[in-house]
């Protein structure tokens, strides 16, 4: 019999070694990490140990992901409470930047809002070029990657190191295709924002900031009368 026929016969008779257990002790296989031979039982034990090690590693990774997600939920919860306590738009902006820096460990951030005016907010918050507004309006999801969009680098202040990775999150009514602002995040670490990263948390952060700032926006009185 050729080896293939032996293998096929054994596959069709899985109880063979149950009926001939003495053969298991005489069979020898190469050790997976050496040149010496070991019994088939020893080889199975090694395989089981390797499988258990892989399962333990996968379990540790799942636990790590769960812990990471719990931390993100806590951070979003703290930011939500802080924004609810903020009494006006300037405080809301300050709370957002402080949370991004200290809680989310994002060193550089900027918010621009070109929708209805936000009372008490510095005029620079409304400064966004038409090209930048068009860019944000064209995003169907937050952008993450190595490229700074148009003139947005000018939005960043107090940056000891040059920013090398970026995220842009639309603020406002993206469903109608007309966002009224943008959240820009940046880091000197080129691996902080990469195209392969998930953006669900960034999108939710955009929704949260839109709601927090939108409640202070003053609608143009002429628009109100005309409506």
């Amino acid at each position: 019999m050729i080896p293939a026929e032996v293998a096929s016969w054994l596959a069709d008779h899985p109880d063979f070694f149950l009926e001939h257990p003495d053969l298991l002790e005489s069979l020898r296989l190469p050790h997976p990490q050496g040149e010496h031979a070991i019994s088939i039982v020893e080889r199975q034990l090694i395989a089981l140990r390797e499988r258990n090690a892989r399962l333990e590693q996968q379990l540790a990774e799942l636990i790590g992901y769960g812990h990471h997600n719990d931390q993100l939920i806590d951070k979003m919860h703290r930011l939500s409470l802080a924004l609810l306590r903020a009494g006006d738009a300037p405080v809301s902006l300050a709370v957002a930047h402080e949370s991004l820096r200290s809680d989310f460990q994002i060193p550089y951030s900027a918010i621009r809002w070109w929708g209805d005016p936000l009372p008490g907010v510095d005029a620079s918050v409304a400064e966004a070029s038409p090209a930048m507004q068009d860019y944000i309006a064209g995003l169907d999801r937050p952008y993450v990657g190595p490229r700074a969009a148009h003139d947005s680098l000018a939005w960043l202040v107090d940056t000891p190191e040059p920013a090398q990775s970026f995220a842009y999150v639309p603020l406002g009514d993206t469903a109608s295709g007309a966002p009224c602002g943008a959240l820009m995040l940046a880091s000197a670490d080129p691996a902080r924002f990469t195209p392969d990263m998930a953006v669900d948390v960034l999108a939710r952060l955009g929704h949260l900031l839109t709601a927090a700032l939108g409640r202070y926006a003053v609608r143009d009185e002429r628009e109100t009368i005309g409506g």
Side-chain angles (χ1 to χ4, degrees):
M1 297 181 68
I2 62 175
E5 293 175 332
V6 175
S8 177
W9 189 89
L10 288 174
D12 293 336
H13 300 80
D15 296 335
F16 175 78
F17 287 111
L18 293 177
E19 299 170 359
H20 303 82
D22 53 312
L23 286 177
L24 290 175
E25 298 179 5
S26 61
L27 292 176
R28 290 291 182 269
L29 297 174
H31 194 284
Q33 299 175 346
E35 298 181 355
H36 61 286
I38 57 176
S39 71
I40 192 171
V41 174
E42 290 176 296
R43 183 64 182 87
Q44 287 176 320
L45 287 174
I46 291 174
L48 285 173
R49 292 192 192 102
E50 292 175 347
R51 182 170 181 269
N52 286 339
R54 289 195 298 270
L55 291 174
E56 288 176 358
Q57 182 179 0
Q58 292 173 357
L59 179 60
E61 290 176 354
L62 289 174
I63 292 174
Y65 291 145
H67 182 62
H68 178 67
N69 288 337
D70 286 343
Q71 290 181 323
L72 281 177
I73 291 172
D74 286 343
K75 293 173 183 178
M76 292 291 285
H77 181 65
R78 286 195 293 270
L79 175 56
S80 299
L81 293 178
L83 289 172
L84 284 173
R85 296 189 187 104
D88 53 33
V91 173
S92 296
L93 287 170
V95 163
H97 289 304
E98 176 59 26
S99 175
L100 291 168
R101 185 188 63 79
S102 61
D103 229 1
F104 289 87
Q105 303 300 306
I106 299 173
Y108 311 144
S109 63
I111 294 175
R112 288 296 183 269
W113 185 276
W114 52 84
D116 293 326
L118 298 173
V121 169
D122 188 276
S124 63
V125 172
E127 295 175 356
S129 66
M132 193 64 202
Q133 295 183 34
D134 290 342
Y135 170 75
I136 295 299
L139 294 177
D140 58 357
R141 63 196 295 270
Y143 165 83
V144 284
R147 298 189 307 274
H150 299 286
D151 56 343
S152 59
L153 279 177
W155 297 0
L156 301 178
V157 294
D158 299 329
T159 55
E161 300 178 75
Q164 298 191 56
S165 61
F166 306 86
Y168 294 94
V169 185
L171 302 181
D173 188 7
T174 54
S176 67
C180 58
L183 167 66
M184 176 188 183
L185 307 175
S187 172
D189 179 2
R192 182 60 189 274
F193 300 109
T194 57
D196 60 341
M197 70 180 291
V199 295
D200 294 352
V201 173
L202 291 178
R204 293 190 178 108
L205 186 59
H207 297 158
L208 179 60
L209 291 178
T210 296
L213 295 175
R215 60 180 176 162
Y216 300 114
V218 178
R219 189 177 180 186
D220 193 316
E221 293 183 0
R222 291 171 297 177
E223 180 182 339
T224 303
I225 296 173

